[in-house]
Amino acid sequence: MMNATIQTKIAQFQIVKQKILAALRKGENYELKTELNSEYKERRKEAVRRVIANMTVGKDVSGLFTDVLKNMHTDDLEIKKLIYLYLINYAKTQPDLVILAVNTFVKDAEDTNPLIRALAIRTMGCLHVQEVLDHLSDPLRKCLKDPSPYVRKTAVMCVAKVYDLSPAIAEENGFVEDVRRALSDSNPMVISNAVTVLTEINEMAPGQNIWRLDSKTVPTLLAAINECVEWGQIAILEALADYTPKTEKEAESICERLLPRLQHANGSVVLTTVRLLLKYEKYVHRADLLSQFSKKMVPPLITLLSSEPEIQYVALRNINIILQRHPKMLSKEIRVFFCKYNDPIYVKYEKLDVLVRICSERNTEPLLNELKEYAREVDVDFVRRAIQAIGRLAIRYESSADKAVKVLIELLQLKANSVVQDVVVVLRDVFRRYPQSFADVVPTLCEHIDYVNEPDAKAALIWILGEYSEHISNIGNLLSTSIESFLDEEDEGVQLALVNSAVKFFLKRPQQGQALVLKALQTATEKCANPDVRDRAYIYWRLLSADPNSARAVALVEMPPVELESASLSASLLEELIAELGSVASVLQKPAKLFVYKKTDKAGVPRDSEMANAGFDSAEGGATSAGDNGTTGGIDTSNEGEPELLISF
Amino acid sequence: MLSAVFIYNQKGEVLISRLYRHDVKRSVADVFRVHVISSPTSVVRSPVTTLGSTSFYHIRYDNLWLCAVTKNNASAAMVFEFLYRLLGLGVSYFGRFDEESVKNNFVLIYELLDEVLDFGYPQNIEVDTLKLYVTTESVRSTRALQSDALATIPQSITMQATGTTAWRRNDIVYKKNEAFVDVIESVNLIMSAKGTVLRADVQGQIVMRSFLSGMPECKFGLNDKLVLDRDPASGAAASASASASASGSTQLGRRQGGMGGFGDGESVEIADCQFHQCVRLGRFDTDRTISFIPPDGEFELMRYRTTENVNLPFKVLPVVREMGKTRIEYEVLIKSNFSAKLSATNMAVTIPTPPNATKCRIKVTGAGAGKAKYHPEENAIVWRISRFQGLQELALTAVVDLAPMTKPTPWSRPPIALDFQVLMFTASGLLVRFLKVFEKSNYQSVKWVRYMTKAGSYEIRI
């Protein structure tokens, strides 16, 4: 009773509260409206600030459009900038009203102050409203020829915005041609922005080849790059990386001119230069030059590992790709990839991967010691990867197997639960690679049998027991204890392993094994609910009763050697990622088409249909779904299901 | 290119939201909050998160999240470089870059964001230039007045913002022309429990504070092995008469002479170096000359890395014995390995203890051995030594009692970490040989150089 009354009271209170809040909200916009129309400049200024603050936190202030607009004509640069910001945000929703602002923009575009001219032209482009375009053309044409390079570089960028909205208008007015001309501007920043814009226009209109870098322009760009700010350098480097040199001589000279960029403090300038050098490898054939290039690339790549952790991460993901092209490149530098205790976990994972990749037979010993340290750390995932890495080294280099097994056994003695499980699984693979070589450690392993409790590890251990049954005296006891609890096992892998190992044991030691194998097969055939396990047991049973020799041939057959290499990229994907070094694709190590939607082409047909048909699995399907709303393609939280996480760990 | 930039506070509330392209909506900010900031797993597994076709890049600073959004296959390296540059801009403008300063200066931050990115492409993020025309309140009014009176000022500003020396105004005048060079080295070490050096390197930074008039042309020289080997005569001459080399570099020379720890004429093998964008990389590539027109005030001229012949300032000999399950005994001996004339300051040695430690009895021995205290919240004994003389030895012994655990888990034995700084010492052996300044008015300039080595990540495993 009491509860019910309280709940109704609360409900009533909620309603009242909402009403009050609604009134308040309305009130705030109302109040702002008054303030925006105030006769005092300071109050109007403060009101504009509050409008922007509200906009930032996501409150709807679009209703104040006309009132904000009234304040637009002002000498106060701060207010002007804020109002422009407001317009960028709401212009699309009120295209009719934006026209009211156009006059001010056009006037500003002719101001004596270049900062204001640039601001006007920059903002007009950002409004993204078709109606504004007609009024933009004249001022834009003037600004493209402005005496101030600051205005010119802004105007050049504005052409991309116009093209984005209407390629036709950009072409008709000759803006694209103007940008092409800007490539020979006297100012480096205008040049680099022109490169950026032309590259982007090419992407917007795929297949039309609006701009192609030709051998005449290359020298201009090479000269400009020395004077550009770092971001401009990146734009030029990217354009050059996508350029196909006409002659080998040209390729060589481009590479040589760009080598100094590897010394730049900006990590992305360095990575883009590396990308260019790797891409040009196919045009340059002189062996001495190629080896000089790859020698020059190494130190800067390593230096990236002392930058901020996020940049380190990008660098490491890329180094991982580069190593698949040049496996020997960093083999002398193995120690710089040793993990620091405080490295972020994502950096540690990547370092570990690189370490295993570049480890040569010569330096397995120090690396194994290092991996042993990692296996004692706290993060369970990292520990698992370290243990798996030990296994990989053992399998790759026979000479290191003894040491690796020794390390694994030492780790076992830590008696940490997850470590034991991981070690047992890895030991199984190592034992399989070198059959019958490690009989002496099996007794030690058996001492830890009680700690083994995860299905994979159990199955691995039982497999080892079967394999080494002739070497261990008490194996019969160990196996029969396991068979006692056969039906308690929920995992079919463990049950299958038990059946197999019981049969192996019997074949190797018929005397001791008879009772055991009978028990195992009986339990499996009569009481086990899993049909696969039952069938397997039946097959063995019949084999054993029909012809023990063929049973021997089946059960004790030599297994194919295990492969445990780091995942490698397919040749075509590797080629693609090298061409896009430093990009999101290289970080995800997935082709770009999985997460980038092409802009609609001229006909306005979204291109994602072709991607959906390309036969990607569900993960990629999830990635494409977000683009269903065509060009805008913004993530819409309401109608999109759980977006797929593309990053792989 | 970037589609949007967001700044969030710790809780994930949006403080700044700036869209640059129309391929994302403002609400995309919520996606990042839901999937990353409020994600139940507190450990960040990747700084890049790609959801559908949208990629989010984030860095964290103080109580802020800085996040950039892209829809295309953008250069991830560039996005992070940009975010860090934006961070640097914030720190330089507001002193502190945290929730409070972002809230107080949001108008200015929007102005900056409008200036540094256009259509999502980074433009000019040079603090010095931006400060000329994106100014804080107090400066703004006077600037505004000037710009009304003299229309030429914005002209020159914009010339600079796009010019070949975008980092420097051309009208700087100082009464006294001075340049300060700080060589700051971070020495990184991973040493195994047995005392073998697994990895040792030095990351150096040369920070310059230039207060020079006009457009000074600078040349900078180090005891770089490649330079000295190529031209041994100039190397010998320079080191023999450092004090009298270039005009006005006496201070530079005098300081050098006073340094302990260096032999004359020794050279350093630099594995790699990176330069501020003012340095002419082409020149460096051909003859390893470092020439540049510096920005005004403080900037990082270069970064370098050395891996050969690292002078480790401290040797640590730890013995850690686990006595059964109830007690651990520590003996940690630290020896300083630099000239007795020098000393390390602000030294802190962090010695990890197991999480189930209950009580510590600690004793330190040696002159000025400082204080060691057990910090249960950090699971460590922290030993602070205010001054550690060169060629000295200090020792710590400790006995740690452990509480019995119901489920015994082995202790992961994190490494001992050292923090310190040593003035007038470089772990790499690097030396500034000269800094020459040429300006068309031919003024005299005074240069100073300081050296410091500090601990980067200095880890000794136990």
Side-chain angles (χ1 to χ4, degrees), chain B residues 363-381:
Chain B
K363 207 179 124 208
V364 289
T365 44
K371 279 200 181 102
K373 223 176 121 189
Y374 171 52
H375 292 257
E377 71 288 355
E378 288 173 43
N379 286 324
I381 297 169

Side-chain angles (χ1 to χ4, degrees), chain B residues 243-298:
Chain B
S243 56
S245 60
S247 61
S249 75
T250 44
Q251 274 76 7
L252 187 83
R254 197 181 304 148
R255 285 293 188 95
Q256 242 169 266
M259 279 180 57
F262 296 124
D264 269 347
E266 273 179 25
S267 61
V268 169
E269 205 175 319
I270 295 174
D272 187 34
C273 45
Q274 263 76 37
F275 294 101
H276 185 269
Q277 57 168 324
C278 67
V279 176
R280 296 182 187 91
L281 296 180
R283 274 297 292 282
F284 181 76
D285 195 57
T286 43
D287 59 7
R288 283 183 91 84
T289 309
I290 305 170
S291 68
F292 56 96
I293 296 175
D296 193 40
E298 183 172 318

Side-chain angles (χ1 to χ4, degrees), chain A residues 17 109 144 171 247 299 303-304 334 341 369 387 402 407-408 438 525 544 564:
Chain A
K17 188 176 141 197
L144 280 165
E171 295 276 12
T247 60
T303 301
L304 289 177
I334 192 157
Y341 191 75
N369 284 331
I387 294 172
D402 277 337
V407 167
L408 288 170
F438 294 103
T525 49
L544 286 172
L564 250 190

Side-chain angles (χ1 to χ4, degrees), chain B residues 61-121:
Chain B
Y61 182 79
D62 208 305
N63 48 14
L64 299 176
W65 294 75
L66 275 69
C67 171
V69 184
T70 67
K71 294 287 282 188
N72 69 337
N73 189 17
S75 161
M78 185 191 83
V79 176
F80 283 119
E81 287 283 355
F82 169 78
L83 285 176
Y84 273 102
R85 215 55 69 81
L86 188 64
L87 180 66
L89 208 56
V91 174
S92 162
Y93 261 88
F94 313 124
R96 280 185 61 144
F97 199 49
D98 54 11
E99 182 173 354
E100 203 190 332
S101 70
V102 170
K103 278 184 168 162
N104 291 342
N105 296 291
F106 80 96
V107 171
L108 188 58
I109 292 176
Y110 276 125
E111 279 188 47
L112 286 171
L113 282 173
D114 195 41
E115 200 58 49
V116 294
L117 283 174
D118 192 4
F119 206 38
Y121 293 101

